[in-house]
Amino acid sequence: MPFLFSIPPMSMKFWRVKHAISSSSSRTLSILCRGERIGREDLFRYTNGRFLVREKELCDQRYLKFDLDQLCAVAASAGSSKSPIRTIEKMEGGFSKALLISKEDGTEVVAKLPFPIAGPPKYLTASEVAVLQYLHDHTTVPVPKVLAWNADSFNPVGAEYIIMEKAVGCQLVKKWGEMEDLSHFEFIKNLCQIEADLAAIAFPANGSLYLRESMGAGDKYKPLAPEMDPSGHFCIGPSCERSWFGKDEAESVQARFDRGPWPTLPAFGVALAEREIARIEQNPKVVPYGPPRGSTEEQLAILKMAKEVFLKIDAKTLPGRFPWPTLWHTDLHMGNIYVSDTEPTQIVSLIDWQSIVVSPLFYQVRFPEFISIGEDYELGSEIPTLPGNIDEMDDDDQAILRFKHKQTMMGKAYEAASGFKNKNVFKSIRLPPLFRQLLLRCGEAWEEGIVPLRVCLISIADVWNEAGFSGDCPCNFSKDEIEKYQHEFQEYRDHHKIYELAREYLGTDTDGWIAPDDDFEEKQQRNKELLDICIAHCAEYGKSGEEMRKIWPY
């Protein structure tokens, strides 16, 4: 039966001798969160911060109850060390609960349990395990070793889980401020080597990576080639991304989705367009206020136009030159990168591979999260310089300019190192962004509307021949239509500038999450003050005070 007790052989001992080892110490099991003792119910609750809006709903979505004693029994027997559990320290992200589990003998393991909102049951955990196992066994990419796992929530623990080794080293965020500029650049070079190793893996299709044993009777999959997988254990199966499994979405809608695997770039693009068409046809989203979305008829027409563009992508077109299915870590912030304590330019572990999928190379590659390049960043070999009169500026202006210059220099270092390590990665970074936007905007049409997708198609029509497309362009817009749609896109951008302003000023995300160490009441007050300021200046955004209040995200 797929997904049931799919555990590496050395961990199978647990299921045969699970009563041979006490799951916890004869002393009381200590459960900690940020250094404070907590009870079992607090372990299940989400406590890693608060939310400015819909707080109860968002916390309830992250509530996860499970059998702690059974989890301790698995952890006690996982790995080479068989020892009772002494302490559990709770950590949480936006989509998973992570537990640092310490044993009586001093060894430590990490248990990761996905929240109900994290993604599709079974597929999400099974894919993350496969990614970790493949990278650990078949590449030099440093990842934690999986010790035990179960992707069926009806197991004795009562939740899906992965038990893995604790990542060695320390988080990059703890070392970055101590490192000199040259060390930063050396680190970027080492990161680009890891990404080049990822890009060198030849996958047979786009989708998600799985162990073949995880595939059910109705799942389509493509085995990896023998040279990539001598053991014959791995395959590419359906995507495990949340966007392919709408919560509370009618079965009649989901039955129309092609979740993969997709053997070609055009097949992937067409599946995205058809997914959004299915959603809009059966459940058009009605939003009483907010940025322009386009009518239902316009949305369907634009998605069908995008579908025609995908079908015309071949090896002669710019996006068709970089179509290779690629595994890529798309969330490389400093908390997910572990470096050596003594030599922080050396990367010793990359964590959090949840929802990491295989997609076309040009769609995957991006600057890491910790490199903050602005919209005015220009790709290329030209090295930027600081203004000659910077020493005459006040301290604040100098600090801002020096920070931006440093970020730009790191961007240039990343470009150069990518070019040296893997030419296709380098060329994909330099590909005009509108082709990546085509896939991105197509995949969010039901949620966001088609205004940005339509402008993307207008831009593609402008470069149709130069981009290597043959035949007639399916994107036909009159001069008046283009002017109208560009105006709508500007209105769309103005709305999102308001959202970005609020997020940046409040230090939050789209859900309004506030970190546990921040003063929540102060953030609420700042939110109110910022709204008042924006209402006072609403004319600058082309809004009335009431419209500003309605579209305010928090």
Side-chain angles (χ1 to χ4, degrees):
M1 186 179 294
F3 299 107
L4 291 177
F5 308 120
S6 301
I7 300 170
M10 66 177 180
S11 297
M12 284 295 291
K13 294 178 183 177
F14 162 71
W15 303 106
R16 294 196 296 266
V17 297
K18 62 183 180 181
H19 299 296
I21 300 174
S22 173
S23 62
S24 60
S25 167
S26 57
R27 295 176 293 176
T28 303
L29 176 67
S30 294
I31 307 174
L32 306 174
C33 182
R34 293 188 290 279
E36 300 289 333
R37 278 182 174 271
I38 61 172
R40 294 196 176 206
E41 182 59 27
D42 282 334
L43 180 65
F44 306 143
R45 291 173 50 239
Y46 180 79
T47 58
N48 187 39
R50 297 186 61 183
F51 298 93
L52 290 169
V53 292
R54 300 164 42 228
E55 184 166 37
K56 185 179 185 304
E57 175 189 348
L58 293 170
C59 286
D60 287 349
Q61 290 174 352
R62 291 161 175 80
Y63 179 85
L64 183 65
K65 191 164 188 175
F66 54 92
D67 191 319
L68 179 59
D69 295 327
Q70 287 285 353
L71 183 67
C72 286
V74 179
S77 294
S80 58
S81 167
K82 316 299 180 185
S83 177
I85 305 306
R86 183 181 64 202
T87 62
I88 293 177
E89 184 174 354
K90 181 177 92 163
M91 300 170 285
E92 291 172 311
F95 296 101
S96 290
K97 195 179 297 289
L99 308 177
L100 177 59
I101 300 176
S102 301
K103 302 186 183 184
E104 281 281 318
D105 64 2
T107 58
E108 295 175 313
V109 296
V110 171
K112 184 174 183 180
L113 300 89
F115 293 141
I117 61 163
K122 301 183 179 180
Y123 293 98
L124 189 74
T125 297
S127 181
E128 184 174 6
V129 166
V131 169
L132 290 170
Q133 288 196 353
Y134 183 85
L135 294 178
H136 184 274
D137 295 346
H138 296 290
T139 75
T140 58
V141 177
V143 296
K145 182 179 181 180
V146 174
L147 304 175
W149 65 286
N150 197 302
D152 191 322
S153 61
F154 292 100
N155 66 63
V157 173
E160 298 179 37
Y161 64 84
I162 306 172
I163 309 290
M164 65 186 85
E165 291 179 340
K166 179 187 176 185
V168 297
C170 67
Q171 288 175 305
L172 177 62
V173 67
K174 298 177 181 178
K175 291 288 187 179
W176 189 259
E178 305 171 4
M179 297 165 64
E180 297 179 354
D181 287 355
L182 285 178
S183 294
H184 288 163
F185 298 140
E186 181 68 18
F187 167 84
I188 289 171
K189 184 181 76 173
N190 292 334
L191 176 62
C192 288
Q193 179 59 63
I194 291 175
E195 292 183 328
D197 292 344
L198 285 172
I201 304 170
F203 289 105
N206 301 291
S208 289
L209 183 63
Y210 298 94
L211 289 160
R212 292 196 208 179
E213 67 187 58
S214 295
M215 294 289 90
D219 292 324
K220 296 183 294 182
Y221 67 88
K222 287 186 173 292
L224 270 63
E227 57 269 26
M228 292 292 107
D229 177 25
S231 64
H233 289 163
F234 296 89
C235 66
I236 298 295
S239 175
C240 69
E241 287 186 297
R242 288 190 301 154
S243 57
W244 291 95
F245 298 80
K247 181 174 170 55
D248 301 325
E249 201 160 43
E251 179 58 35
S252 59
V253 177
Q254 296 204 29
R256 295 172 60 181
F257 297 172
D258 173 10
R259 297 190 173 104
W262 307 285
T264 65
L265 167 57
F268 175 52
V270 167
L272 281 175
E274 290 182 341
R275 181 190 75 192
E276 299 302 286
I277 288 171
R279 284 177 168 150
I280 292 167
E281 285 182 340
Q282 296 206 29
N283 183 28
K285 190 169 185 177
V286 178
V287 181
Y289 46 81
R293 299 176 49 84
S295 67
T296 298
E297 293 73 20
E298 288 175 321
Q299 292 174 19
L300 293 173
I302 289 299
L303 282 166
K304 289 171 183 175
M305 194 180 292
K307 185 176 167 182
E308 291 300 312
V309 172
F310 289 130
L311 289 170
K312 288 183 174 288
I313 294 176
D314 59 28
K316 295 179 181 179
T317 62
L318 282 180
R321 295 178 186 178
F322 311 100
W324 304 288
T326 304
L327 184 72
W328 197 266
H329 199 310
T330 52
D331 191 24
L332 281 181
H333 57 73
M334 291 190 187
N336 283 341
I337 303 172
Y338 281 69
V339 295
S340 166
D341 280 305
T342 56
E343 183 45 70
T345 62
Q346 301 300 314
I347 300 167
V348 295
S349 192
L350 298 178
I351 68 166
D352 195 4
W353 294 82
Q354 186 182 74
S355 299
I356 298 299
V357 298
V358 175
S359 293
L361 176 64
F362 78 89
Y363 186 53
Q364 294 279 60
V365 297
R366 65 202 68 194
F367 287 92
E369 291 285 330
F370 61 85
I371 299 179
S372 303
I373 57 172
E375 292 183 359
D376 57 347
Y377 181 87
E378 295 184 6
L379 292 163
S381 58
E382 184 176 344
I383 304 299
T385 58
L386 288 166
N389 65 338
I390 188 170
D391 291 333
E392 301 171 11
M393 300 179 184
D394 65 35
D395 291 345
D396 289 341
D397 287 342
Q398 282 194 42
I400 292 170
L401 278 174
R402 292 186 190 280
F403 173 79
K404 288 183 175 180
H405 181 259
K406 172 66 180 296
Q407 293 295 314
T408 302
M409 291 299 290
M410 288 200 297
K412 294 301 176 186
Y414 184 81
E415 282 189 67
S418 293
F420 180 72
K421 300 296 183 182
N422 188 304
K423 293 294 184 185
N424 287 325
V425 171
F426 174 67
K427 291 176 182 177
S428 294
I429 291 173
R430 302 188 72 179
L431 191 72
L434 63 92
F435 296 110
R436 183 172 181 272
Q437 288 290 314
L438 175 64
L439 288 166
L440 179 67
R441 298 302 192 176
C442 185
E444 61 184 25
W446 178 81
E447 184 69 33
E448 287 285 329
I450 49 77
V451 169
L453 173 60
R454 185 165 52 197
V455 169
C456 183
L457 292 172
I458 290 172
S459 298
I460 288 174
D462 286 342
V463 297
W464 185 256
N465 293 323
E466 295 91 330
F469 288 92
S470 59
D472 294 333
C473 176
C475 312
N476 296 309
F477 303 98
S478 69
K479 184 177 180 181
D480 288 343
E481 286 176 329
I482 291 173
E483 185 175 338
K484 174 188 174 184
Y485 298 150
Q486 293 286 8
H487 177 76
E488 285 188 7
F489 180 61
Q490 186 58 51
E491 187 179 349
Y492 175 92
R493 290 190 67 183
D494 287 344
H495 273 83
H496 282 271
K497 283 178 182 177
I498 295 169
Y499 302 157
E500 290 164 12
L501 171 67
R503 286 196 295 269
E504 184 175 342
Y505 181 74
L506 298 170
T508 186
D509 60 14
T510 53
D511 285 332
W513 177 78
I514 301 299
D517 294 333
D518 288 344
D519 186 324
F520 186 71
E521 285 70 27
E522 180 189 349
K523 293 284 187 178
Q524 287 180 309
Q525 181 61 32
R526 291 180 68 182
N527 180 45
K528 182 179 181 302
E529 291 170 355
L530 182 60
L531 173 56
D532 290 341
I533 292 170
C534 287
I535 288 175
H537 293 81
C538 59
E540 297 176 18
Y541 296 94
K543 308 291 177 193
S544 68
E546 185 59 28
E547 286 175 325
M548 183 66 75
R549 192 178 298 279
K550 283 182 177 179
I551 67 173
W552 191 252
Y554 312 116

